[in-house]
Amino acid sequence: MIRLIRSELLKLRTTNMWWIFMLCSLVFIGLALLINTAQAATDLGHGDMPRDMQVDRNAANIYTSGQFFGLMMVMLLAILLITNEFYHQTATATFLATPKRTRVIVAKLITGAAMALAFWLVATVIDLVVGVIFFAAEGYGNGLGHWEVQQAMLLNLLVYILWAVFGIGIGVLLRSQLGATITAAVLYTIGTYASLVVITLVRQFLIKEDWVWQAAVYVPPLASEHVVGGLSGQLDQVNLPGRWVGVVVLVGYAVVLGGIGTLITRRRDIG
């Protein structure tokens, strides 16, 4: 297994895509920080919410900045871990060298998780540096000593890893490199906001019940935002379920996609 993981890391390092996705992620982190710090500057000191709660909410938001597009970069890179095998026609050699295909998939899942950890770490370090400077300049505590903020950051790591698992599963289901990446990117971006629009329209005109709003947590990208507290900012007046619901939803999707991907790889004709 160690040799398989080293092999997967070598394949990842010898392509140009990982650093291109990392650069894209850095750009999105910067844009997200601009938006989130501007929002925090407006929000802090206003409204009826206690000072500590205001700091915690905005700190969790700032310290997880860049999550939306960062997760997409992780997912797409994980997709390439699978589809590159077929694009470069190395799948046959890979599975001949390791006949037990489940071990190959597990190695790719571990590699994807390690990659997700690296993306999360880079994003979190940048977010922390900018966030601490921002709160100091505004004259507020940075919130790092509060469990609410720590929980958001740790759950953000879990979310990054789960989206790497999603990418592996999607790559197995759609072996075409171009088809898998485009489909996943479109569903992640346009699909996410389309689902939010549909939920809004249904709530406003068809079913005027709060559970319609709460159904947003079953859409994976929105569940990811909910896990770190970001969805409550978009649906401020809605009594959303606890963060653990978002975690359960994401773990469920990961188990299903990872399980299906493993079964398909074990049975599919690779040659």
Side-chain angles (χ1 to χ4, degrees), residues 186-208:
V186 170
L187 287 176
Y188 185 88
T189 52
I190 298 177
T192 298
Y193 291 108
S195 63
L196 197 54
V197 169
V198 170
I199 290 171
T200 302
L201 293 175
V202 171
R203 173 63 177 79
Q204 293 294 327
F205 300 107
L206 295 177
I207 306 174
K208 298 183 178 182

Side-chain angles (χ1 to χ4, degrees), residues 56-85:
D56 287 353
R57 185 178 69 175
N58 285 284
N61 197 31
I62 290 173
Y63 297 147
T64 58
S65 294
Q67 185 209 63
F68 184 80
F69 285 103
L71 295 180
M72 186 175 74
M73 296 298 107
V74 166
M75 175 185 64
L76 294 178
L77 200 51
I79 288 173
L80 294 180
L81 284 175
I82 291 287
T83 57
N84 274 344
E85 297 279 6

Side-chain angles (χ1 to χ4, degrees), residues 81-97:
L81 284 175
I82 291 287
T83 57
N84 274 344
E85 297 279 6
F86 302 103
Y87 182 78
H88 296 291
Q89 299 180 344
T90 59
T92 301
T94 297
F95 290 117
L96 282 175

Side-chain angles (χ1 to χ4, degrees), residues 12-82:
L12 187 63
R13 291 198 308 270
T14 51
T15 63
N16 293 328
M17 296 308 298
W18 74 268
W19 62 264
I20 293 175
F21 283 155
M22 179 61 80
L23 287 176
C24 291
S25 182
L26 291 175
V27 172
F28 290 129
I29 290 168
L31 292 174
L33 280 169
L34 284 175
I35 295 171
N36 291 339
T37 52
Q39 180 181 341
T42 302
D43 186 46
L44 290 170
H46 297 85
D48 298 328
M49 186 179 295
R51 179 187 177 101
D52 285 348
M53 290 182 65
Q54 283 188 340
V55 171
D56 287 353
R57 185 178 69 175
N58 285 284
N61 197 31
I62 290 173
Y63 297 147
T64 58
S65 294
Q67 185 209 63
F68 184 80
F69 285 103
L71 295 180
M72 186 175 74
M73 296 298 107
V74 166
M75 175 185 64
L76 294 178
L77 200 51
I79 288 173
L80 294 180
L81 284 175
I82 291 287

Side-chain angles (χ1 to χ4, degrees), residues 79 83 86-87 170-182:
I79 288 173
T83 57
F86 302 103
Y87 182 78
I170 294 170
V172 172
L173 293 172
L174 304 173
R175 298 200 307 185
S176 167
Q177 186 177 89
L178 186 61
T181 52
I182 290 178

